[in-house]
Amino acid sequence: MSLARQFAERVTALHYEDLPPEAVYWSKVAVLDTVGVTLAGAVEAAPKILSEILGLQAGAGPSLVLGTNLRASPLDAAFVNGTASHALDFDNTSNTMAGHMSASMIPALLAAGEAFGASGSDILLAHTVGFEVGARLGHGLNFYHHEKGWHPTSTLGVFAVAAACARLLKLSVAETETALALSTSLAAGTKANFGTMTKPLHAGQCARGGLMAALLARKGFTANPDAFEHKQGFFNVFNGPGNFDAGRILEGWGKPLDVTAPGACYKQYPCCAGAHAAIDACLMLVHEHGLFNAADIARIDAWTAPRRLAHTNRPEPNSALDAKFSVQYCVARALLHGKVLFEHFAGDAYCEPVIRGLLHRIHAAPLTEKQFPEDNHNGAELQV
């Protein structure tokens, strides 16, 4: 039996009444968090440019474009809202999938929910089911998939969105299977575009793609049910032979549901999660010693988990978005200000002379295996 079919059977079998209270609770938190960061992100350039390109107008569809008076088709609303949800990089993350699932799923679910009359409980169930699908794929494909350069938010998240939307729309097992198989051809997104508007676009296209897969399957569209396992299918094309473990994907399904344990991580700072441990270390130093003066700092050594340092070692950020992925920049802000805020990533704040002057004294390096156990990928150490 194909993986798409096995996923579909599990997705359709779960009902709201089956959910443990903690799954309902954490899905509610995810919805609130995602709506909040989407409203905040709606004023950013990426979703505004996308709305302009799509030619969105007031009253043009059933689904609200958050933070505006625009209504659009479910697909366009999911696209723009998904981009807005990730525009500030302040949305929750899944360490299991190594990406941002809620930011892609919830914009699609809200857009489809408005268009097709879903209830709040329908959305919570759908988010829980989609979260499980995305997490399960993470178990079988990471961390090779992530380190190869794919952005799992989009490449794996599209399956979470497709599964969630299929459940929201009450698709049959066969239709859900098709939506998931179809999504193997909609997966895209490379880490090379981190630090640009294209990164949040990944979340938007993923929201649109997963919803579109469910809507197409609902109308009888076809796809190869073996699209995951096929010799030219998702596993072999995206990871390559020998670089995935399909047997782990369904192992332990729902025991517990991933949305509850380990669950999503909620950000304290509006920047890449890979810099957060270093920020925490800085704030501990500030709490102990008070704010630092840049002129008094001779050198800072920061060690970050290797797979996170790969996209956060940016000693000279060249834009506000790029600064969100610079562990050096985030460390400088935390030590000099005792906080890391939205305004630190606005306009040309990254160009401030005091900050730029300190950056070359901040040396980022990967944690060694001795410093950093292999089964823990969130660590950081700091020495000033």
Side-chain angles (χ1 to χ4, degrees):
M1 187 185 299
S2 72
L3 177 64
R5 184 74 176 197
Q6 293 179 80
F7 266 144
E9 290 182 347
R10 287 162 173 77
V11 165
T12 56
L14 194 62
H15 298 276
Y16 183 78
E17 295 73 24
D18 302 326
L19 298 181
E22 57 269 27
V24 174
Y25 172 81
W26 283 113
S27 283
K28 286 180 178 179
V29 171
V31 170
L32 291 171
D33 181 76
T34 304
V35 169
V37 296
T38 304
L39 288 169
V43 300
E44 295 295 306
K48 292 173 78 172
I49 292 171
L50 181 58
S51 293
E52 182 182 343
I53 292 299
L54 293 173
L56 300 190
Q57 298 176 359
S63 303
L64 180 66
V65 178
L66 294 180
T68 76
N69 65 346
L70 303 176
R71 286 193 172 271
S73 71
L75 291 177
D76 282 348
F79 197 4
V80 176
N81 288 337
T83 301
S85 73
H86 198 39
L88 295 170
D89 225 285
F90 207 12
D91 47 302
N92 74 25
T93 63
S94 162
N95 282 336
T96 313
M97 193 188 78
H100 304 254
M101 274 197 275
S102 298
S104 299
M105 280 194 290
I106 290 168
L109 293 173
L110 292 178
E114 278 196 285
F116 299 101
S119 68
S121 58
D122 290 335
I123 288 174
L124 297 175
L125 170 63
H127 176 266
T128 301
V129 168
F131 207 96
E132 190 69 11
V133 168
R136 292 287 110 204
L137 286 166
H139 277 298
L141 294 164
N142 282 326
F143 282 100
Y144 183 87
H145 186 82
H146 184 273
E147 292 177 342
K148 185 176 174 65
W150 296 117
H151 184 197
T153 294
S154 191
T155 56
L156 302 185
V158 69
F159 302 110
V161 178
C165 290
R167 193 69 191 89
L168 184 84
L169 297 171
K170 300 178 172 58
L171 268 58
S172 68
V173 172
E175 291 166 339
T176 302
E177 176 187 36
T178 296
L180 289 164
L182 196 164
S183 295
T184 64
S185 289
L186 301 176
T190 59
K191 288 168 62 181
N193 275 313
F194 280 19
T196 73
M197 294 182 200
T198 302
K199 183 175 189 272
L201 187 73
H202 291 172
Q205 74 172 3
C206 170
R208 184 183 189 277
L211 175 56
M212 182 169 68
L215 292 173
L216 289 171
R218 191 172 180 238
K219 289 290 187 179
F221 215 81
T222 62
N224 182 357
D226 296 316
F228 284 102
E229 305 92 339
H230 191 277
K231 64 181 180 181
Q232 293 182 319
F234 185 82
F235 293 155
N236 284 323
V237 171
F238 277 71
N239 273 47
N243 296 314
F244 59 89
D245 186 352
R248 291 195 64 204
I249 291 175
L250 294 174
E251 188 179 274
W253 171 275
K255 297 179 181 178
L257 289 164
D258 200 272
V259 76
T260 65
C265 301
Y266 289 87
K267 291 188 173 184
Q268 301 290 313
Y269 322 108
C271 56
C272 178
H276 282 212
I279 294 171
D280 286 340
C282 290
L283 296 184
M284 290 173 65
L285 289 172
V286 169
H287 179 74
E288 183 177 351
H289 302 287
L291 291 177
F292 288 77
N293 188 317
D296 296 331
I297 297 174
R299 178 185 175 98
I300 300 170
D301 287 292
W303 294 275
T304 302
R307 64 174 59 100
R308 290 182 178 266
L309 188 62
H311 54 265
T312 59
N313 185 14
R314 301 176 186 232
E316 295 185 12
N318 57 30
S319 70
L321 283 173
D322 200 34
K324 286 178 176 281
F325 293 85
S326 168
V327 68
Q328 293 91 340
Y329 181 82
C330 293
V331 161
R333 285 294 184 185
L335 288 174
L336 299 189
H337 299 279
K339 59 189 74 172
V340 178
L341 304 173
F342 281 126
E343 60 223 49
H344 296 151
F345 305 102
D348 60 357
Y350 71 97
C351 294
E352 288 180 18
V354 173
I355 295 293
R356 300 303 289 196
L358 180 58
L359 290 181
H360 75 276
R361 284 173 271 159
I362 303 175
H363 302 270
L367 280 167
T368 66
E369 190 172 339
K370 181 178 179 181
Q371 292 171 305
F372 176 57
E374 188 62 31
D375 62 351
N376 176 357
H377 59 281
N378 296 309
E381 293 185 7
L382 193 81
Q383 185 171 302
V384 181

